[in-house]
Amino acid sequence: MSPTARPRPAVPARAAAVLATAALLLTACGGGAGGGADAAAGGEPQSGGTLTFAVGSDAGCVDPQQVGSNDTIYSVRQLVDSLTDQDPETGEIVPWLAESWEVSEDATSFTFHLRPGVTFSDGTPLTAQVVEDNLDAIPDLGPLAGLARGYLVGYTGTRVVDELTAQVTFGAPNVQFLQATSTHSLGLVSSASAALPPEQRCSEGVAGSGPFTLGEYVQNQSITLERRDGYDWGSSLWDKDGEAHLDRVVFQIVPEAGVRTGSLQSGQVDAIGSVAQADEAALEGAGIQLKARANPGVVFNIGLNNSLPLLQDPQVRQALSLAIDRQEIVDAVFPSGTEPATSPLAHTTPGYRDLSDELATDPDRAAELLDAAGWTPGADGIREKDGTRLALEVVWAPVAATNRPALELVQQQLRAVGVELTLREQPIAQLLPQLQSGEFQAAWGNVTRADADILRSQFSTALTNVYRVPAGELDGVLQEQAATVDEAQREELIGQAQQLLVDNDFLIPVVELQTTLGVAPAVHDLEFDASSRLQLHDTWKS
Amino acid sequence: MGGSATGRYVLRRLAQAVVVLWAAYTVSFLVLDALPGDPVTAMASAGMDSGAVDQEQLDQLRAEYGYDDPMLVRYLDHLGSAATGDLGDSVATGRPVVDTIAQALPPTLQLAGAALALAVLLGGGLALVATYSRRRWLRQVLLSLPGLGVSVPTFWVGLVLVQVLSFQLRLFPAFGNSGPSSLVLPAVTLAIPTGALVAQVLAKSLLTALDEPYVQTARAKGAGRARVHLSHALRNASLPALTVVGLLAGQLLANSVVVETVFSRDGLGRVTAGAVGSQDLPLVQGVVVLGALVFVLVNLAVDLVYPLLDRRIVVAGGRRSLA
């Protein structure tokens, strides 16, 4: 597991952010024109205009199938359409480029009936052959395309049934594939684009069928999207038929958080990504709308190495979970509206089950459990047993600004019950091999995915099993949900999996990741999709 | 000084430059190789969920990019290519390192050039005014400014300038490479530490020069105060200032990392920061080699300029000597 893509803080980011924040607080009264939150409701949609969106980082690639970082997904998502779409409210998979589909009983075969009349921006039509060309090319994409490749594990091929019917098959049950077809990673490009080398797709872009086309990509600078004329095959979830409202969208890459915030306040940009808690008041004071949604998938958690002797004791694991006050961490560190973890899954994940009672805070009970397990307080308050201190090291990567303060608070909370937690910061490139080799005690991170199958990727002993979970009942449940097409049945199994994870405390869920955007009052209908990323077809400016 | 002597001197210096480049390449290779982790893993884990990456895929990718060969094999292999001008491909983008750097260089040269011009103007002007002034307090205040300019963090200066001149007064854009107006704030920010250094060195050597006997001679001959200051003292005092130009080039490149980040400009600094962040070793090495090349060339140019300023200096036989 690794933390979700967030813009990487630039070299002097932390100090710079503090200074910039101080400056903003000092000048908040003078900044910003009027316009209240009520302006957001605003009138009849108008077409035309340019939207400027400031994001913190550039992935160096504008191919949707190869991009995994939120800042770049925002723009490249607009270049392609997907076979299906996912309703952010219900999690339901609905038609987009596929008008309908069938899934085989054993979830190994998926047949899509394509919408006629769809063309890519290079003029070629969407056919079943294009679907095959796309899926066949994905395993050969470079190291960037890990998301798309992960969705296709076990892929055995695509059969062109007829011009507009494609049958995709897997060697093992793979029910998550249907949701995967709604993601940007499996957004379709033309056959000619699919045949290009990965590097060329990255630097020059691809021909998609989306509501926008790539106007210009200047590395480290900007990604400009132009409205696709004649677009008429939007998702069934969108309000507007036909072409997008906006003429042009410019994603400006602005690495400094303070500069993004100030640029939005002073009207140099229309929207910004990843608003920090400290900037909220100043932005709201300037009439900026704050839009927030929890990312679906596995919440920020302390993933335990369950093979360590210390952590094989269920009483110790339970005590760690009980010692943590999740609400306190949310209030102190995370943007307004962030929810404490109430399950291993965020509440926006389809199949989420509310386990808030099991994840309540009870330091007294935690102390009792540790007493019972034979860990007694030593001279400095840290518990000991047979001369061993109750100490744990958590590894983490500085990919989100909230990671350090959140962990420092966890550290204090654990210390209060006599557990010593040390924090070890690692560059992300070093964290991953460490997790895979098992040379860690605990790891902090989250994973964004709008399908509960992410629990199988993370905790099944049949797969990587980073957390060294012992084989048992959980495996069977995770395996079974992957082969269950019936939604109600699958939801029950997913619920059981969450329950088993929490009952056994194999991981300690802490807080949901929330994406918070700042949006100028004149921008309307800028909404999140099911993965808490953006869809700009319906967005307009007044 | 004969033309052929200068030619031999330049050739010899160029040969030394090759050794410096080789050393820079080798040291950076060893240092980067000693880092835990590798660029392929960095790419696979940056900005995505590791749940989807398995070890087998990583191993395969590592083999594809040649990161599973023994170090010596990789070193010789890469050095061989580097000698022919091929610094390899960026792991992050797959584009040739040489192309990436060539594309990032013009905006940085533009920025560094503007900053250098400003730095010489402001720093030189400050040093002249401070040493010319007869008011002790003014001299003290002016001479303390360079120390301040050197010690203030560049990113802080940048953020303050953005805050006041862009967000508040809305005179300049806060980000981007578009047009001359977007160059103003970054160039000023970059010029401050550089100008401060110029002012420090120039002021000190001007003060020394003004005490020299030849200045008294000039005065005794009836030269005006301004003429003595600008013509006699400045000419000699500018030699030490010229010596630090090589240093300035390095400082400008290093500070461009910060300035380009704060002002969201494209350029070599941004490329460097990104390459280091993603452990894009070929690209980092390319930047190191370029830095060494710039340093060597600037110093060579400075050495060749000396005799123009002071005819007593002759370059020959591989070292400077007073004739």
Side-chain angles (χ1 to χ4, degrees):
Chain A
M1 170 182 53
S2 79
T4 301
R6 276 262 182 133
R8 279 177 204 196
V11 187
R14 192 175 302 121
V18 170
L19 276 162
T21 304
L24 287 173
L25 286 176
L26 285 171
T27 56
C29 309
D38 55 341
E44 277 296 298
Q46 299 166 15
S47 289
T50 299
L51 181 89
T52 309
F53 196 121
V55 294
S57 63
D58 175 18
C61 182
V62 285
D63 176 10
Q65 293 181 0
Q66 297 186 69
V67 165
S69 135
N70 271 339
D71 278 346
T72 310
I73 293 172
Y74 292 158
S75 49
V76 298
R77 164 79 271 195
Q78 320 304 325
L79 303 175
V80 288
D81 297 326
S82 297
L83 286 169
T84 64
D85 203 357
Q86 187 176 20
D87 188 330
E89 300 297 322
T90 63
E92 191 190 351
I93 305 297
V94 298
W96 193 348
L97 291 183
E99 291 180 321
S100 63
W101 53 86
E102 293 98 41
V103 182
S104 69
E105 289 274 309
D106 60 353
T108 58
S109 149
F110 302 75
T111 307
F112 296 94
H113 303 282
L114 304 176
R115 179 173 184 155
V118 175
T119 57
F120 293 93
S121 58
D122 62 4
T124 57
L126 169 68
T127 61
Q129 185 62 48
V130 176
V131 176
E132 181 181 4
D133 293 344
N134 270 264
L135 298 182
D136 285 357
I138 282 173
D140 297 328
L141 289 175
L144 280 172
L147 281 179
R149 261 201 323 266
Y151 298 150
L152 287 179
V153 169
Y155 173 71
T156 52
T158 302
R159 190 165 71 89
V160 176
V161 179
D162 64 39
E163 179 83 6
L164 291 177
T165 309
Q167 187 185 33
V168 182
T169 51
F170 292 88
N174 191 16
V175 78
Q176 61 83 27
F177 177 68
L178 188 60
Q179 187 276 338
T181 62
S182 76
T183 65
H184 73 279
S185 302
L186 299 185
L188 297 179
V189 302
S190 74
S191 290
S193 291
L196 295 175
E199 299 80 27
Q200 198 179 343
R201 293 173 58 160
C202 263
S203 57
E204 291 167 24
V206 289
S209 66
F212 292 91
T213 57
L214 183 66
E216 193 190 15
Y217 168 46
V218 187
Q219 205 168 334
N220 282 334
Q221 203 56 59
S222 61
I223 300 173
T224 304
L225 311 179
E226 306 282 353
R227 175 168 58 195
R228 168 93 188 267
D229 293 329
Y231 182 84
D232 194 24
W233 41 85
S235 157
S236 51
L237 290 176
W238 299 349
D239 291 333
K240 182 181 188 297
D241 290 331
E243 297 171 3
H245 279 300
L246 295 165
D247 290 336
R248 179 177 294 141
V249 186
V250 180
F251 283 86
Q252 193 76 40
I253 292 135
V254 180
E256 275 301 321
V259 176
R260 286 198 298 277
T261 307
S263 300
L264 178 58
Q265 280 180 303
S266 61
Q268 299 184 49
V269 300
D270 298 309
I272 59 172
S274 28
V275 173
Q277 191 192 46
D279 291 341
E280 287 176 1
L283 286 173
E284 282 181 326
I288 302 296
Q289 320 166 53
L290 294 181
K291 301 216 164 234
R293 185 175 191 268
N295 280 37
V298 179
V299 297
F300 273 117
N301 68 89
I302 299 173
L304 302 175
N305 183 341
N306 289 279
S307 68
L308 294 182
L310 169 68
L311 296 172
Q312 280 175 2
D313 184 343
Q315 285 181 310
V316 171
R317 297 200 305 266
Q318 195 186 350
L320 293 176
S321 180
L322 286 168
I324 291 173
D325 185 343
R326 295 167 176 83
Q327 190 63 50
E328 187 187 27
I329 295 170
V330 166
D331 294 342
V333 176
F334 288 88
S336 310
T338 303
E339 299 274 349
T342 48
S343 153
L345 294 177
H347 73 277
T348 44
T349 323
Y352 150 86
R353 181 180 285 185
D354 184 353
L355 301 170
S356 43
D357 290 343
E358 284 88 335
L359 292 173
T361 309
D362 192 344
D364 296 338
R365 174 84 187 121
E368 280 172 33
L369 284 168
L370 292 174
D371 286 340
W375 292 96
T376 50
D380 61 350
I382 299 300
R383 290 168 187 272
E384 293 172 358
K385 181 165 139 180
D386 310 327
T388 313
R389 285 162 71 81
L390 185 43
L392 200 60
E393 180 187 78
V394 61
V395 289
W396 61 285
V399 289
T402 45
N403 281 354
R404 180 193 294 276
L407 280 170
E408 283 173 351
L409 205 45
V410 168
Q411 189 177 37
Q412 286 175 28
Q413 292 171 353
L414 289 180
R415 195 185 158 87
V417 298
V419 179
E420 183 179 57
L421 184 73
T422 41
L423 312 185
R424 181 148 157 233
E425 182 178 340
Q426 296 268 58
I428 184 84
Q430 290 168 30
L431 193 60
L432 191 73
Q434 201 180 2
L435 293 186
Q436 277 172 338
S437 64
E439 286 157 19
F440 73 101
Q441 300 181 342
W444 171 260
N446 81 309
V447 193
T448 295
R449 174 81 203 268
D451 189 282
D453 192 63
I454 191 65
L455 292 178
R456 186 171 63 101
S457 330
Q458 296 274 299
F459 299 105
S460 166
T461 62
L463 300 172
T464 318
N465 194 17
V466 163
Y467 303 103
R468 274 70 182 171
V469 172
E473 195 187 351
L474 180 64
D475 279 321
V477 175
L478 290 173
Q479 209 52 52
E480 203 183 336
Q481 66 78 29
T484 305
V485 177
D486 182 275
E487 282 177 26
Q489 270 180 40
R490 182 165 181 237
E491 190 166 331
E492 175 54 32
L493 290 164
I494 293 166
Q496 278 178 34
Q498 294 166 68
Q499 187 83 50
L500 283 167
L501 281 165
V502 169
D503 286 350
N504 288 291
D505 301 293
F506 288 138
L507 78 163
I508 302 170
V510 178
V511 53
E512 296 186 352
L513 166 66
Q514 177 180 278
T515 298
T516 306
L517 307 177
V519 182
V523 177
H524 311 274
D525 294 331
L526 189 137
E527 303 297 344
F528 290 107
D529 67 12
S531 301
S532 298
R533 278 108 187 207
L534 299 179
Q535 188 49 259
L536 297 176
H537 177 268
D538 289 345
T539 306
W540 56 283
K541 275 176 85 173
S542 59
Chain B
M1 156 173 85
S4 65
T6 310
R8 274 203 306 278
Y9 171 70
V10 170
L11 275 181
R12 204 182 146 118
R13 287 294 302 264
L14 286 177
Q16 283 172 356
V18 171
V19 175
V20 170
L21 288 181
W22 169 79
Y25 188 90
T26 304
V27 169
S28 62
F29 185 92
L30 293 177
V31 169
L32 292 171
D33 195 77
L35 286 176
D38 64 83
V40 173
T41 313
M43 278 327 293
S45 52
M48 58 154 298
D49 309 327
S50 65
V53 188
D54 64 66
Q55 195 59 44
E56 222 169 283
Q57 280 177 344
L58 280 180
D59 291 344
Q60 189 199 330
L61 287 166
R62 228 176 264 139
E64 235 169 76
Y65 282 78
Y67 282 98
D68 58 350
D69 291 334
M71 189 187 79
L72 194 64
V73 173
R74 274 183 294 130
Y75 170 69
L76 292 176
D77 194 32
H78 289 197
L79 188 65
S81 309
T84 65
D86 174 11
L87 293 171
D89 294 342
S90 155
V91 177
T93 62
R95 293 180 58 211
V97 167
V98 174
D99 290 4
T100 308
I101 290 179
Q103 195 197 332
L105 203 51
T108 300
L109 287 181
Q110 204 181 34
L111 174 64
L116 189 62
L118 266 177
V120 169
L121 267 173
L122 297 178
L126 183 78
L128 280 175
V129 172
T131 49
Y132 192 70
S133 171
R134 281 177 170 150
R135 295 195 180 87
R136 182 179 285 270
W137 65 268
L138 181 61
R139 178 179 283 214
Q140 287 304 327
V141 168
L142 289 179
L143 286 180
S144 65
L145 283 180
L148 188 68
V150 169
S151 52
V152 172
T154 306
F155 72 86
W156 185 82
V157 172
L159 284 174
V160 169
L161 287 178
V162 165
Q163 185 65 41
V164 175
L165 296 178
S166 178
F167 299 160
Q168 296 295 310
L169 302 175
R170 308 197 183 183
L171 295 175
F172 301 101
F175 51 77
N177 287 47
S178 48
S181 68
S182 70
L183 189 61
V184 176
L185 295 184
V188 170
T189 310
L190 192 55
I192 286 175
T194 312
L197 197 65
V198 170
Q200 269 182 331
V201 173
L202 191 60
K204 188 164 189 309
S205 50
L206 267 175
L207 289 176
T208 314
L210 287 170
D211 281 344
E212 295 280 332
Y214 70 83
V215 168
Q216 285 169 10
T217 310
R219 282 195 191 123
K221 280 180 159 180
R225 193 163 165 259
R227 188 178 148 76
V228 165
H229 208 93
L230 290 174
S231 182
H232 292 93
L234 178 61
R235 184 169 181 139
N236 286 293
S238 57
L239 278 178
L242 197 60
T243 312
V244 298
V245 165
L247 204 63
L248 293 185
Q251 194 193 41
L252 285 169
L253 281 183
N255 280 337
S256 72
V257 174
V258 174
V259 171
E260 287 175 359
T261 300
V262 169
F263 291 97
S264 318
R265 284 179 65 86
D266 193 18
L268 204 60
R270 282 286 286 290
V271 166
T272 308
V276 170
S278 59
Q279 285 198 13
D280 193 341
L281 303 192
L283 195 48
V284 174
Q285 277 213 283
V287 172
V288 171
V289 170
L290 178 79
L293 186 67
V294 168
F295 198 75
V296 164
L297 291 181
V298 167
N299 278 325
L300 179 60
V302 167
D303 281 358
L304 293 176
V305 167
Y306 276 127
L308 303 180
L309 281 173
D310 187 340
R311 294 184 180 276
R312 289 171 304 171
I313 299 176
V314 174
V315 288
R319 68 197 154 94
R320 255 178 270 136
S321 59
L322 291 178

